[in-house]
Structures are given as structure tokens and as C-alpha cells.
Amino acid sequence: MNTETTRRALLTAVLGAGVGGMTLTEARSYLDRFAPGSGSVWGAADSDIDGTVESSYGPAEVTYDDDHVPHVEADTERAAYFAVGYCHGADRLFQLDLYRRLMEGRLSAVFGDRAVDSDVFHRQMDFAAAADATWERTRETETGEVVQAYVDGVNAAREQESKPLEYRLLEYEPDEWTPQASLLISKQISWGLTGTFRTLRTALARESLGAEPTEELYPRLMAHDDPIIRGGDTPESTQHTDTAVPEAGMVSWLAEFETRPGIGSNSWVVSGEHTASGDPILANDPHLNLTVPPVWYEQHVVGPDPLDVRGVCFPGVPFVIIGQNHAGAWGFTNTGADVIDFYSYETTQDGGYRYGDETREFDSRTETVEVADGKDREVTVKRSVHGAVLSQFPDGDDLAVADELGVAWTGLSATRTVEAVRRLNFADGMADAKDAIRVFDEPTQNFVYADRDGNTYYWVTGQIPIRTSDGEVVEGTRIFDGSAREGEWGDGYTPFGTSSWEGFVPFEEKPGVENPDYLATANQRLTNDPEHYLSEGYAPPFRGGRIYDLLDARAESDQPMDAEFLREVQLDTYDPRWDLFRPIIEAGKRKDGKDYTRLGYDPYQVLADWDGEMKPDSVGALVFERWLRVFRRRFGEKHLADAGLPEDFPEPNDWVLGTLSLNDSDGRWFDGDDGLQVAAAFAMRRATEEIIDEGWDDYGDWNQVRFTHPFDQDFLNYPNLRTAGSPGTVRNFHSEESTGASWRMLATFDGESRAVLPGGNSGDYFSDSYADQLRLWADGEYKPMDRGLPDGTDLRFEEGSR
């Protein structure tokens, strides 16, 4: 049978058509592969590579523990990371390959025309060229040598281990892994955290709604009192109004490829002044996409002294990104810094563009997007002096020249982040950690650190541009006129090349605190008094404010902040949105004459008795969450859709929505004196109708783990589990978006560090560790994260024992 036809048929089944939609011959082929005991897909099995891993770099000992975490030990760093690469290749090969194909714009070659939209965008952004530039900068360094050893290990596993089930389903072979591919994974993570098209959406909203309403609905700075670094007066929010307006269709298309709602994180560090042990404690739970398998891979690596590090990395990237070594522990949350800008151009008749007093040619080439069992597509890849140029819709139609958009993003340059992370793994204390994050170029992150000497530390990492127009510093809240050289990033940025990073915010001038007693980050505003423009917008203050409330109360009590208390903080399910919206719901009750007998309870009484905790067995949590969704949706329909904005245009965040609602004294948003009450009552009636129709009895009936494999087939997906948390709680969870705590870690210096993944460390469907941590994660439990062998012995050999 023709391989391409079979592959296409399997893809159709995998992506939702089901076997019933195939021809008889195709269905037989599909079913034959699943024949128990004999079908080809069942040939894949969990790797068992415990023992010595040999390589040209030397031997390494690999021991998997009961959670399928590899403990790797070697005399040389390159031997150790060859073994790490082998583990990644054995456990997560399809995930590595999928991420690389995504960023290179080569998904369609395997998955068909459903992936063309994605491939066109990623080709035009040319992330692959940025990874090439990063490797050129890295390859001659010590870090480059280690990355190459890791890559060799991935390829050894690719050649020697059984192929994952996914390859057997799709009948294709994974390409050779390369150093550029590993660096491309880093670009993918950075883009997911900093690649936002907020500037374009805001410009579109301003055109449809007007400047003042747009500022109210989408403020750059929210007027709350819970920044990361506390103190000072709340700054005023301002946005530029003089800007070009993007094409609405382009904005909707690009929204598919930016940071998803719910991407964020929590972290905090507490000094020994407040702990029972007298040592600091660090907590981190990064909120990312919750996928099958998880976005993180846990590992423990011991190499030449002092390398002894355990934590999580992104599969495809060698080094521990969040974790703990012999001296300290560290974590990251997203800063939200504005590191991307957009440019319009005045073009010439021959296809060039004006740049100041010059006329320049776009660097342009045509590439072919291969489409499995379909028509290949041509895509134009353009560059300007600023970076990538988006010039084509996925259907192949060129945009009008006036709608072409230049994109400058810090990740399009050669960056040093992989070197920074390697240095962190070796760091022998706070001084080393500070030196490491100086070269952490992307993404911009809130870095928290604690060490065995009692130090605590917080600093913002990543390159943040200082923009100038006509020599004056400007903010990045508009689409710049690239031809007039507005919004220039100085002389230090070279897209797709090596940047000097001159003209960017100096490291010492980024927000930071050395040795705070305690400090918490939750993607909220960094500081009330920044020295430079930093961001177009931050997360609502619900999580950050709640964490500080809990830490403040404990600090003022007679009880220390021990590990058990800080686990309770990380798993806190009180939703501060309830405090904001409760008076609105109570006002709506006065206008609501509905008989709720069919529901079986009075929703207003349930909420009056509710404690605000978003727990699975709570009826109040169910009513509140569903009410808020209807209230938010109705507001968006009335004020956004009616203004002509695209259907998928995001509503204002919940802090803005609640604050506007409570302060709508002139009836601007809710049609007069009783408009808010009517809207609140309507939301309750509609929400309870949905609850009845869906048959939900409590919050857990709706709020469930729904983590799906890229193929979204029941047998590959994780099981649905009831769980706690909401978008507003510290225990963060977005059920519909499948975002939340992608790794929970609590690092201590008394041997009791603990952590958990939302799933399993193995990406092999046949492995016992495919989803073995999922129940722990859903139930708010942890497992040990020590740096010893499974039998409790120290992994590091004594000197001379070899």
C-alpha cells in the first residue's frame, strides 16, 4: 500500500475522523497495526538503559529510580551529557522531533495540510536561522562541546532504541538530531513566554473602541498594591494613541501562535530569618501548557566536581533549568517584559523599502512547505533591518504591501542562554549564580535563588531593549514607522546574527533585590518605580497578592515558615476573584426573580455560605466559576463584538472587568443605574442553565485534568481526574486551556526537597511511568527530589574509588 496514503489515513483517524471514515483497506491497515501481540505499533517498549552508557567521551553510569528519573554519573562532563542525551532520546524522542518540526515549519510534511498555517508562520519568522546563529556563537565554547556530546547521545538512542509508537503510527523516521535543533527548542520555549501580539490587538481595539475605552479595558499597568518589589506609589498607566492599525485578519491569524492565556508561574523565596531550620526555602511552580508527555523532563546529573544537580529541563536541552545543586536552588517565572516590536514600512515600486534616507531591499527568498498527501505550498521568507517580515497569509495569498509587518524579537539573535543555564548547574553560591544570569539573554524571567550560605536573591533576567525615535527614548506600545526609523533598538541588535546588546537595559538597572527576607513573584507588575520602560502589561494581582497575604500573616505570627506551610501556600485554593465579584453577584440577586427549583438549590444562598475555596467537591466554586464565565462572555459580546472586533478578540482580564464593574458610576459599561444588576442576574440564570444541561453536581465535575497527546486519542491521553484550583488561585489551573503548574518544586537545605510532574517522566505509552505522577499532582501531593541513588546512597563516588 502507498505509504503516503496510509500515513494520511492514519492522520485522519488520529486527528478525529475515526476508523469509520476510512476505506476498508485503510481501516484494515490501521487495525492490523493494533492487533494485540502482533501489530507493528506494539513493538515499541519502555527503554531499560540502567547501567553503563559507553561513548567516545567515556563511560557514564545511569540508574533510573522508581519515578523513571535518570541519575547520571560520569568522570567527565561530556560523558555525563552524552548519557543525558541518550536518556532524552530513549524517553522523549517524538516530543523532541515534534517541537523541532514546529519551529522549523515542517509539520505539514508529516501531518498534512492541517499544519500549513503553523508552517507558514514559523517559516516567515525564521526561528531556524536564529538557532543557526546561536549555534555559530556557541559551538567553539565549552558549552558547545557539551551540547555536541548531548546531541551525539540523542542520536545514539535514535539509532539503537525502539522507535516510539507515534512513528509506527505515522510510518516515518525521525531526522538526525543536531545542536541547532537543541537550540531551536530553547527558542520555542522563549517564544512561548515572550512572543505576544498585544501591541497589534491594542491598536486594533483603539481603532474600534477609541483611545480612552481601550486604556480602561486593556491597561498597561493595573492600579493595585501588590508588585513583586513592594513599596512606592502605584504608577499611572499610559499608552500611545498615534499608531498604525493592523489588518484584523492578520491579528486573528497571529493569535494562534502567541503566548496562551494562563501562561505564568509562581515563585517565592524565604530567608532563614523566617524558617524553622534557619535555612532559606525556595518554591517554584511554572504555569505552562499541560501536555502529554509533560513539557519538563526530570533528571539528576553528577559530573566533575562540583557538578551535582537535580531538577527539570526541556527535552532537547541538556541542562537543568529549574532545580537544585550542591550549593543552591533556583527557579523562574515569566517577567512579561516587552521584547518584541512591530514596524510598518513605506515601500518602493520595485519592492524595496525606505529606511531613513536610504532605500533598502528586503532580504527575500521563496521556500516550499511540503504537505503530506496534498499540494505543496510556496512561502515567501522576508527580512528587513529589524528582523522577520510577515508578508503572507497561510492560504498563499500575499498581503497588501501596506500590511506587511516587520518583527524585531530578541530571540531572533544569537543568544547565550544555554551557556547561562550550564553555569547555573555548576554555581557554587550566589556570586556564581549572579554571573550566570548576566548572560541569560532570553526569555526575560524573574529569577529567584537561595543557597546553603543563607543567601536569597531576586533579579530580572533577559535582554530588554531601550527604544529610541529621533534620539528620544520611547515605549514599545505602538506599531513603529520603520521607514522613519522609529523605535530603533540601538546599535547592539543584529537579527539572525550575533548582537552586542548595547542599547539594552543594563543588568544592574533591571529590577532586583539581594537578600530579601521573603519575596514572591506571580507575573504581576515588577515594581512601582522602574528605571526603564519594561512591559506593555502584566498578569492580574490575584495570585501575587494572595501569596504575599499568606506570607505576611505567617511572618507576623509566632510560627516559622516551614516546608509544610509553604506547601500549603503552593496548593492554596482560595480565589481572590470572589472578593472582587461578590458584591456584583449580590447586587444581581436583587434583579433576579428566577425560580431555581429545577437546579435543586438556591445559587445565591450557596454562594453566601461558600468559603471561596476552589475545591473539587464545592458547589459554590462551580456556581462562581460558571457565573464569571458567562458574565465575562456577555461583556465581550456587548462591547467588543458589537464594535466590530474579531469574535476571538480577548475580553479584559478579570481584575479589570471586576474593577470597571464596581466603579461604573456613570453607567458607561452597563447601561444605566441598574444595568450591572441586570447583567449579573442574567449571568446567574444562564450559568445555572448550563450547569443543569451538563449535569454538573460540583466543581470537580467540570474542573478536571484533560491533558491530551498531540494525536488526541483516548488511549494516548492521560485519564481525566478531578482537581482543585482556578485561574485566580495560587494553585493555578485552567481547565479548558490546559495550563497550570507544569512542575511543583519546594527546595530546602535539610534533605527534604520535594517536587512533582503533572504526568510521568517517560513519554513512552508502554512505560509504567507514562502517567504515574498524575494522581499525585491532581491530589496536591509531592515526591522526594533528593540527589542520591534510589537506595538512598550518595551518587557521587568518593575520590579515588575509580
Side-chain angles (χ1 to χ4, degrees):
M1 185 176 194
N2 182 275
T3 300
E4 288 302 313
T5 304
T6 305
R7 179 182 300 166
R8 184 67 172 164
L10 284 171
L11 175 65
T12 301
V14 161
L15 295 183
V19 175
M22 298 181 187
T23 67
L24 179 60
T25 302
E26 290 166 343
R28 283 175 178 161
S29 174
Y30 180 79
L31 294 172
D32 285 347
R33 287 175 218 180
F34 282 90
S38 61
S40 62
V41 300
W42 302 112
D46 188 27
S47 299
D48 182 12
I49 58 175
D50 279 8
T52 302
V53 175
E54 297 285 355
S55 75
S56 61
Y57 304 105
E61 296 298 318
V62 177
T63 305
Y64 278 95
D65 64 23
D66 291 340
D67 299 303
H68 201 74
V69 176
H71 299 254
V72 178
E73 201 271 354
D75 287 336
T76 71
E77 187 183 5
R78 284 187 285 175
Y81 281 104
F82 177 94
V84 169
Y86 198 101
C87 293
H88 286 197
D91 292 330
R92 299 288 189 91
L93 184 62
F94 182 72
Q95 186 180 28
L96 270 67
D97 189 29
L98 194 66
Y99 284 165
R100 173 172 62 173
R101 284 185 171 275
L102 170 71
M103 293 298 283
E104 288 178 341
R106 296 195 301 121
L107 288 175
S108 301
V110 174
F111 295 101
D113 57 14
R114 297 186 183 197
V116 168
D117 285 23
S118 174
D119 284 352
V120 168
F121 170 77
H122 288 90
R123 294 287 185 103
Q124 291 194 89
M125 287 295 297
D126 210 0
F127 295 111
D132 289 343
T134 299
W135 176 238
E136 284 301 311
R137 191 204 174 284
T138 307
R139 67 186 309 165
E140 300 301 329
T141 68
E142 288 186 1
T143 299
E145 294 175 353
V146 177
V147 170
Q148 183 63 63
Y150 167 86
V151 166
D152 292 343
V154 173
N155 283 320
R158 180 180 63 89
E159 295 166 0
Q160 298 171 25
E161 297 291 324
S162 296
K163 295 297 185 294
L165 177 148
E166 292 89 345
Y167 292 109
R168 296 164 183 264
L169 282 172
L170 294 174
E171 292 189 323
Y172 84 95
E173 291 293 317
D175 294 336
E176 180 181 4
W177 197 251
T178 66
Q180 293 92 326
S182 284
L183 297 172
L184 194 56
I185 301 298
S186 296
K187 300 291 181 183
Q188 188 255 343
I189 299 302
S190 296
W191 177 259
L193 293 169
T194 62
T196 172
F197 297 106
R198 178 187 172 106
T199 300
L200 308 185
R201 284 195 305 274
T202 304
L204 196 61
R206 193 179 295 114
E207 175 74 7
S208 298
L209 302 172
E212 185 177 346
T214 298
E215 174 57 30
E216 289 186 73
L217 295 178
Y218 304 102
R220 186 170 71 81
L221 301 172
M222 288 169 276
H224 61 77
D225 297 321
D226 294 298
I228 293 173
I229 301 174
R230 297 191 286 184
D233 297 328
T234 302
E236 294 185 3
S237 181
T238 58
Q239 290 184 341
H240 288 287
T241 58
D242 179 22
T243 186
V245 180
E247 204 273 337
M250 172 177 264
V251 174
S252 293
W253 174 53
L254 292 176
E256 301 177 29
F257 311 114
E258 67 176 337
T259 304
R260 294 179 60 181
I263 299 297
S265 302
N266 302 321
S267 70
W268 55 91
V269 62
V270 178
S271 76
E273 294 294 320
H274 295 281
T275 66
S277 66
D279 295 318
I281 301 177
L282 182 144
N284 191 198
D285 55 296
H287 307 155
L288 300 172
N289 295 336
L290 300 172
T291 60
V292 179
V295 298
W296 297 104
Y297 181 86
E298 187 177 2
Q299 63 192 38
H300 177 205
V301 182
V302 174
D305 192 58
L307 181 62
D308 183 356
V309 60
R310 178 168 180 170
V312 286
C313 64
F314 293 113
V317 180
F319 309 116
V320 167
I321 296 174
I322 296 174
Q324 185 169 15
N325 69 3
H326 68 288
W330 60 90
F332 293 96
T333 65
N334 205 22
T335 297
D338 185 358
V339 297
I340 186 170
D341 278 329
F342 306 96
Y343 302 84
S344 61
Y345 300 103
E346 177 186 326
T347 56
T348 62
Q349 289 184 343
D350 60 358
Y353 67 101
R354 186 174 66 82
Y355 181 64
D357 296 331
E358 307 173 35
T359 297
R360 298 199 176 189
E361 298 295 323
F362 288 109
D363 181 350
S364 180
R365 67 182 188 272
T366 300
E367 295 186 359
T368 299
V369 175
E370 181 184 349
V371 181
D373 200 28
K375 182 181 178 181
D376 293 349
R377 308 292 178 86
E378 299 296 319
V379 57
T380 301
V381 179
K382 278 187 176 183
R383 298 178 185 174
S384 72
V385 67
H386 300 106
V389 176
L390 299 176
S391 61
Q392 182 178 326
F393 275 132
D395 61 8
D397 293 338
D398 289 339
L399 291 169
V401 173
D403 291 323
E404 290 186 337
L405 199 64
V407 183
W409 176 58
T410 51
L412 293 181
S413 180
T415 49
R416 302 167 292 179
T417 298
V418 69
E419 299 171 52
V421 176
R422 175 173 170 263
R423 290 190 198 180
L424 273 178
N425 284 209
F426 276 96
D428 196 29
M430 189 168 76
D432 286 349
K434 290 167 62 175
D435 286 343
I437 64 166
R438 281 179 175 273
V439 295
F440 193 103
D441 292 331
E442 58 158 340
T444 49
Q445 296 282 282
N446 298 308
F447 175 73
V448 291
Y449 181 82
D451 67 23
R452 63 188 175 189
D453 297 325
N455 293 301
T456 55
Y457 183 72
Y458 161 76
W459 215 264
V460 169
T461 74
Q463 301 295 350
I464 304 173
I466 299 175
R467 303 149 173 93
T468 59
S469 295
D470 294 327
E472 298 292 326
V473 174
V474 297
E475 297 180 347
T477 56
R478 55 165 298 177
I479 300 172
F480 293 113
D481 184 341
S483 291
R485 301 193 61 172
E486 293 179 344
E488 294 287 278
W489 283 12
D491 298 326
Y493 174 66
T494 305
F496 308 105
T498 300
S499 297
S500 69
W501 304 115
E502 296 173 7
F504 285 68
V505 175
F507 180 81
E508 289 77 13
E509 295 175 15
K510 296 171 186 175
V513 182
E514 290 194 20
N515 286 312
D517 282 349
Y518 55 90
L519 180 143
T521 86
N523 317 117
Q524 74 271 44
R525 185 171 67 251
L526 305 179
T527 174
N528 286 334
D529 188 26
E531 189 168 347
H532 300 273
Y533 162 75
L534 299 173
S535 176
E536 275 195 283
Y538 298 99
F542 301 119
R543 290 180 286 115
R546 176 64 177 171
I547 295 169
Y548 267 130
D549 286 346
L550 294 170
L551 297 181
D552 288 344
R554 189 74 165 202
E556 294 167 4
S557 73
D558 295 329
Q559 296 179 288
M561 296 190 196
D562 57 14
E564 181 57 35
F565 165 70
L566 293 175
R567 278 195 290 270
E568 292 174 1
V569 175
Q570 199 167 57
L571 298 173
D572 182 71
T573 60
Y574 183 81
D575 197 328
R577 296 179 302 172
W578 174 230
D579 299 326
L580 184 60
F581 286 98
R582 181 171 188 166
I584 298 171
I585 294 176
E586 291 173 345
K589 179 181 180 181
R590 296 193 288 271
K591 284 289 183 180
D592 191 350
K594 181 178 175 62
D595 181 356
Y596 287 100
T597 301
R598 183 166 168 253
L599 180 65
Y601 53 83
D602 178 354
Y604 294 102
Q605 187 58 51
V606 165
L607 289 176
D609 297 336
W610 180 46
D611 59 6
E613 300 281 347
M614 306 300 285
K615 294 182 176 179
D617 60 355
S618 171
V619 179
L622 174 66
V623 173
F624 173 65
E625 181 65 29
R626 300 312 303 181
W627 174 89
L628 181 53
R629 284 171 177 268
V630 176
F631 186 75
R632 186 192 307 122
R633 185 171 65 234
R634 185 175 186 270
F635 185 92
E637 290 170 351
K638 181 175 178 59
H639 295 291
L640 305 180
D642 288 355
L645 289 167
E647 290 184 4
D648 56 359
F649 204 85
E651 297 96 353
N653 70 54
D654 288 340
W655 187 89
V656 171
L657 179 60
T659 303
L660 281 180
S661 300
L662 290 172
N663 295 293
D664 189 37
S665 58
D666 58 2
R668 174 177 181 177
W669 299 107
F670 291 97
D671 300 329
D673 293 339
D674 61 356
L676 177 60
Q677 299 173 31
V678 171
F682 169 86
M684 185 63 76
R685 293 193 297 271
R686 181 62 57 83
T688 53
E689 289 168 5
E690 292 178 358
I691 290 171
I692 293 170
D693 291 343
E694 296 291 341
W696 292 320
D697 291 328
D698 58 23
Y699 187 55
D701 282 351
W702 174 77
N703 198 63
Q704 296 185 7
V705 169
R706 298 184 181 90
F707 308 162
T708 59
H709 187 277
F711 288 174
D712 196 13
Q713 290 291 283
D714 287 343
F715 80 99
L716 287 170
N717 295 341
Y718 287 163
N720 289 5
L721 299 175
R722 294 158 58 91
T723 193
S726 77
T729 59
V730 178
R731 182 173 176 169
N732 195 248
F733 182 61
H734 296 230
S735 181
E736 288 180 332
E737 292 290 340
S738 269
T739 59
S742 59
W743 165 252
R744 293 192 187 111
M745 181 184 78
L746 196 71
T748 70
F749 292 89
D750 58 4
E752 294 296 322
S753 296
R754 304 187 72 81
V756 69
L757 280 171
N761 212 39
S762 175
D764 189 335
Y765 167 73
F766 299 98
S767 171
D768 291 338
S769 295
Y770 185 67
D772 58 326
Q773 296 179 53
L774 185 63
R775 175 68 68 178
L776 290 175
W777 182 92
D779 291 346
E781 299 178 13
Y782 298 73
K783 64 179 183 60
M785 195 189 81
D786 57 46
R787 298 193 321 283
L789 282 170
D791 63 5
T793 60
D794 187 355
L795 187 58
R796 183 179 292 284
F797 290 106
E798 295 296 332
E799 185 175 357
S801 64
R802 288 194 157 186

